[in-house]
Amino acid sequence: MNESTSPRDPLDGAATAAYLDLIRSVHEEWDRLEVSGDGSVQMSAGALSTIKESVRADARHGAPVQLPPTPAGPFTITELALRTLVRATVDAVPGARALRTAVTFAGAGIPRTRGLPIRLSCRVSAARSTRSLPALAEQVREDVRRACRIELGLEDLPIDIHIEDLHD
């Protein structure tokens, strides 16, 4: 910035006022065209498609889930990522298959964000050949708890296991 365009220069103030008048007139013209139904002020098909895809992605992935802060600061994952971790962990236990997972969250305090997970409820199918359903449930619980601790920093997360089906 040179001396002729310093912030205290009266010409700069006049230029700013002219710019604001131009912006105001553009908004007024846009509003007038929109009220009259002029198609030129409608959102383009490409822009509308991008917005729709963004909304679909949010719906697929779910809301952000708050996790315990790390030395690098706070972080979140999506509900889909959390459920995927739980499903993969359950499915890795011999004789178990994940059916559904429900998560109870603490209050987030941030709009459209889930709080810290405070309880998991896993519905599981057990292999018919399973010798002990309580032992299988305990193995699933411990493996999910370990995965949540190691991958997400969630310590001592209560995990309910419901065996509701048998499979071959």
Side-chain angles (χ1 to χ4, degrees):
M1 188 178 286
N2 62 35
E3 290 180 21
S4 66
T5 59
S6 71
R8 295 187 179 127
D9 189 338
L11 293 177
D12 187 46
T16 299
Y19 173 76
L20 292 175
D21 284 342
L22 178 62
I23 294 296
R24 192 174 11 265
S25 71
V26 167
H27 281 283
E28 289 169 358
E29 179 68 10
W30 181 278
D31 291 343
R32 187 186 61 71
L33 290 170
E34 191 173 38
V35 167
S36 72
D38 189 313
S40 68
V41 296
Q42 301 304 314
M43 191 175 295
S44 72
L48 190 57
S49 175
T50 299
I51 290 171
K52 287 179 180 179
E53 184 55 36
S54 176
V55 169
R56 282 189 211 102
D58 279 352
R60 279 192 308 268
H61 298 153
V65 174
Q66 292 179 338
L67 293 173
T70 67
F75 78 104
T76 63
I77 61 171
T78 65
E79 286 178 287
L80 177 63
L82 174 60
R83 291 176 196 282
T84 299
L85 172 68
V86 172
R87 175 175 287 281
T89 303
V90 171
D91 288 347
V93 174
R97 286 189 191 155
L99 298 176
R100 287 186 300 272
T101 299
V103 184
T104 303
F105 300 97
I110 301 171
R112 295 180 303 208
T113 299
R114 303 278 191 212
L116 192 69
I118 57 173
R119 177 173 227 98
L120 292 178
S121 179
C122 301
R123 300 212 173 258
V124 177
S125 175
R128 284 186 194 265
S129 60
T130 301
R131 292 182 189 249
S132 170
L133 295 178
L136 178 67
E138 189 56 34
Q139 182 67 52
V140 169
R141 180 179 294 107
E142 288 307 311
D143 286 4
V144 170
R145 185 174 286 130
R146 184 181 316 106
C148 288
R149 184 183 69 249
I150 292 169
E151 300 294 331
L152 307 175
L154 296 170
E155 298 290 335
D156 301 320
L157 183 65
I159 300 170
D160 301 320
I161 305 298
H162 304 276
I163 297 177
E164 66 177 41
D165 192 22
L166 298 175
H167 63 271
D168 290 321

